[in-house]
Amino acid sequence: MTRCRYCAGIKACKVCGQPISDFIHVGVRGAGTNSSGIWHYAVPCGHKQVVQVEAGAVQVVYNGGPLWNTRYRWLDVFWGDYWQKQNLPFNMDQIDKVVMDIETNASYSGGLKQYAATGGDMGISSLMGSKVVPTNPPQVVDDSQIQKQLETWIDGGVLPDLGMKGAYNIFLGPGVSVTLQGDSSCATFCDFHNFTGKHAYTVEPYPCSSGCNQCTANPFDTLTQGLSEEMTELKTDFVPGTGWLIGQLELCDFCDQQFQCRQIDTGEYVNAWYDRSKGSCWKPG
Ligand SMILES: [Zn+2]
Ligand SMILES: [Zn+2]
């Protein structure tokens, strides 16, 4: 991905005035009052640019990029020795169960069938497994470092190579701050999904204490909401900005604007996605 139609005409950074050679697109769930959507970072200066989208009726547009398929699989990656500790508020097994519960939910994930590629299918997939990488990440880790690390793990056989037929959920422990250029987790964003050029992944920083959960005060619920959104948006917009979008909003970003608390029948809180067939945001049943 280089330029999309919203950033195609932007030649100079609106913050620093430097010429822009390219854009980095990331699918981000904003924290607090920061809106969710495809966030645009200018190359080389790194400043986030606000792009203008057309006003008017809700239009769900497929931009031609790769999409998820039911044969694809998830791999959970727990980065840091935190995850090997005993008696955690929530542990790897509980998170793996959430991934399976979300992914096998006939209504929540099964309903995404309407967004399948022509001749392909999308809906219920599976969790391949999970892997703990006990080497600790830096206390502040940028998405560019996460991408390099993910590719290094795959090249070195630490993680299986899913190619374009699956994706990695990367979970971080408390005390690790994730950055996207000048933006930091919990300060401006909750979580995101992105693409290394070879592999798709979600990043779940440890649940933020505020700004990322309008339903409960429970960190585990914060995590399940973010995870459900990033998994859904990765499936429907595998390379951020190239899949299914409503303006510059991915399918859950749109529903985050008029947020409603929702739970799947196994109990986890999830963020709703826009159901094109019903013209409304997903709800159970
Ligand atoms: Zn763009
Ligand atoms: Zn700039």
Side-chain angles (χ1 to χ4, degrees), residues 24 26 41 43 46 79 138 140-152 170 177-183 189 192 194-197 201 203:
I24 296 168
V26 190
Y41 293 99
V43 178
W79 190 5
V140 178
V141 61
D142 189 69
D143 183 42
S144 56
Q145 293 170 281
I146 294 174
Q147 292 198 7
K148 278 202 193 89
Q149 185 62 73
L150 179 59
E151 291 300 335
T152 302
I170 301 173
S177 175
V178 180
T179 60
L180 282 165
Q181 305 287 338
D183 288 312
F189 66 86
F192 60 89
N194 207 352
F195 182 66
T196 66
Y201 61 100
V203 174

Side-chain angles (χ1 to χ4, degrees), residues 96-152:
D96 287 345
K97 181 180 182 296
V98 171
V99 172
M100 286 187 280
D101 286 349
I102 290 170
E103 195 51 55
T104 57
N105 190 275
S107 172
Y108 187 80
S109 285
L112 294 173
K113 204 175 189 67
Q114 62 189 284
Y115 292 111
T118 310
D121 66 68
M122 193 187 310
I124 293 171
S125 306
S126 58
L127 175 68
M128 179 183 191
S130 70
K131 175 86 188 170
V132 57
V133 183
T135 316
N136 285 323
Q139 283 193 322
V140 178
V141 61
D142 189 69
D143 183 42
S144 56
Q145 293 170 281
I146 294 174
Q147 292 198 7
K148 278 202 193 89
Q149 185 62 73
L150 179 59
E151 291 300 335
T152 302

Side-chain angles (χ1 to χ4, degrees), residues 4 7 25 40:
C4 70
C7 61
H25 299 78
H40 280 71

Side-chain angles (χ1 to χ4, degrees), residues 231-245:
M231 286 171 63
T232 299
E233 293 179 336
L234 184 152
K235 289 161 79 168
T236 54
D237 190 27
F238 201 89
V239 176
T242 70
W244 288 101
L245 296 172

Side-chain angles (χ1 to χ4, degrees), residues 27-31 36 188-191 212 222 225-226 229-230 256 271:
V28 183
R29 184 170 64 118
S36 302
T188 60
F189 66 86
C190 305
D191 36 45
C212 300
T222 311
Q225 288 178 43
E229 172 158 341
E230 297 313 326
D256 290 348
N271 285 3

